[in-house]
Amino acid sequence: MDQTLAPITAPIPVRTSSTDDPVELLRFAIDAHGLGAAALATLVDIRGGSARALGAHMAVAADGRFCGYVSGGCVEAAVASEALLAMAQGRDRTVKFGDGSPFFDIVLPCGGGISVAIHVLKDVGALRHVLDRLERRQAAGLVYSPKRQTLISVDPLPRACWSEGDFLTVYRPRTRIVLSGQTLEAQAVARLAEASGYEVIAVAPGGVRSVADIIDPFTAVVLLHHELDAEAAILETALASPGFYIGALGSTRTHRRRVERLTALGFRRDDIARIKAPIGMFGPTRDATSLALSVLADVAAARLVAYA
C-alpha cells in the first residue's frame, strides 16, 4: 500500500512576552536550548533611523516561541520565522529588513533599514558567562563571528560594534537606585523605580556604613531629605563613589548652603559639581508623583549619557 508522507509544517511564531531585558532574553534562550534548539537574533546594522540600538536581541525557540525586539515591533514575527528556518537548516543567516531588503512588503515606519544576524545556538556557555557577570554587577560582552558561526564571551568594549568581521554586543547591569529619605517623595520614587525595572535599595537611618559597598558605576544615588544634616553622611559617601548619578532634594538656596558645607569639609569643586540639585529633570514640582517622574527621567538620561 502506498503511503504519502505528510508535509512538515513549520511552527508559527508566537510572542511569549513583551520584555526587552537582556537578562530575561538570555535566560529564555538558555531554557529553549535545553528543550531542543534555540536561536539568538541580534541587530547588527542600522541604516537610517531605528527604534532599537545596535546589539538588541530576540531569542527564538524551536517551537516558535520568541521574545525580545530588534525594531519597534514591525519585523519581529518575520525575524522569528527566519530563525526557525535557520534552526531547521542548522546554519546561521543574516537578514535585511526595510531599506535594502528583499522583503518589499516589510517596510519600517522610520523609513530606514536594519540587518539582523541569526545565530543557531550550539551551546549556551557564553550566555551563562554573561549572566554570571551581570549577577555580580559586572559588564560583559559577546562576540559573534558570522564566518565561524560562533558566539564567545569576552570583556566588553564601550559600545556594541563591528570589529574585524565580528560583532560585539555589550551588556551592563541594570540600574540600581540607592534611595535615602523617609519622605512621601521617597516612597513615590521607590514605587515608580521598581515598576520601571530598576533595583531599589532604600537606606535606613544609621545604615550609611554599608552604602559604600553597594554604590557601583551603574548606581544612582537619590537623596530626598528636607534637612541637610539628614543627608550629610550618605552624600559624602556618594561623592567618594563611582556612582553615575547623585541627586539631592532642595531649592537653589538650599544647594548653596550644601555647597558651602562640602567646601568647608574639603571636597573639590569637581566632586561637588556631580550633585544634581535641585534634583530632577524638570521642576519645580508640587506633588510626589511629579517629582518621582522628574527624578527617574533624570536618572535615565544620565545613564544614557554615561553608557551611550
Side-chain angles (χ1 to χ4, degrees), residues 5-6 28 36 48 61 67 108 136 145 152 154-155 164-165 183 199 210 225 259 265 270 279 306-307:
L5 296 176
F28 178 92
C67 58
L108 275 64
R136 291 183 280 122
S145 171
I152 61 173
V154 296
D155 291 331
E164 298 181 355
T183 61
E199 176 186 347
S210 62
H225 296 275
V259 170
L265 290 172
D270 290 347
I279 195 170
Y307 302 107

Side-chain angles (χ1 to χ4, degrees), residues 13 15 17 96 161 291 293:
R15 176 175 290 282
S17 76
K96 292 182 178 181
C161 64
L291 177 68
L293 288 169

Side-chain angles (χ1 to χ4, degrees), residues 71-300:
S71 76
C74 319
V75 303
E76 277 67 15
V79 171
S81 294
E82 292 291 327
L84 290 169
L85 290 174
M87 282 184 273
Q89 296 172 359
R91 294 195 305 273
D92 293 2
R93 56 176 59 193
T94 297
V95 187
K96 292 182 178 181
F97 296 95
D99 182 38
S101 168
F103 302 108
F104 65 90
D105 56 337
I106 300 178
V107 179
L108 275 64
C110 59
I114 61 174
S115 295
V116 179
I118 299 171
H119 173 59
V120 180
L121 291 169
K122 301 174 181 64
D123 65 74
V124 292
L127 305 191
R128 293 187 188 279
H129 184 70
V130 168
L131 292 179
D132 179 64
R133 287 183 65 97
L134 293 177
E135 179 69 23
R136 291 183 280 122
R137 293 197 58 84
Q138 299 174 358
L142 284 179
V143 166
Y144 170 63
S145 171
K147 182 178 179 179
R148 295 184 295 274
Q149 299 193 15
T150 57
L151 195 63
I152 61 173
S153 59
V154 296
D155 291 331
L157 291 175
R159 59 185 58 84
C161 64
W162 283 96
S163 177
E164 298 181 355
D166 295 338
F167 186 80
L168 172 71
T169 303
V170 179
Y171 307 86
R172 297 185 181 92
R174 67 173 174 154
T175 299
R176 170 182 285 169
I177 294 182
V178 171
L179 180 61
S180 178
Q182 305 296 310
T183 61
L184 177 64
E185 293 88 350
Q187 296 172 23
V189 170
R191 286 195 303 270
L192 189 57
E194 289 170 350
S196 301
Y198 295 154
E199 176 186 347
V200 179
I201 299 178
V203 180
V208 176
R209 291 183 179 179
S210 62
V211 170
D213 297 331
I214 59 177
I215 303 177
D216 59 26
F218 310 101
T219 297
V221 181
V222 174
L223 308 175
L224 300 177
H225 296 275
H226 293 296
E227 297 178 2
L228 292 180
D229 288 340
E231 72 175 30
I234 187 172
L235 177 57
E236 293 170 24
T237 300
L239 288 173
S241 78
F244 73 88
Y245 178 90
I246 302 171
L249 188 67
S251 65
T252 301
R253 180 183 300 176
T254 298
H255 187 57
R256 282 199 297 267
R257 291 172 49 215
R258 180 184 289 121
V259 170
E260 291 170 358
R261 293 178 62 156
L262 292 170
T263 301
L265 290 172
F267 283 91
R268 299 179 307 168
R269 181 180 300 178
D270 290 347
D271 291 330
I272 298 174
R274 295 175 60 198
I275 305 170
K276 179 63 179 295
I279 195 170
M281 178 170 283
F282 56 86
T285 59
R286 293 292 183 262
D287 63 272
T289 300
S290 295
L291 177 68
L293 288 169
S294 180
V295 169
L296 293 179
D298 209 22
V299 169

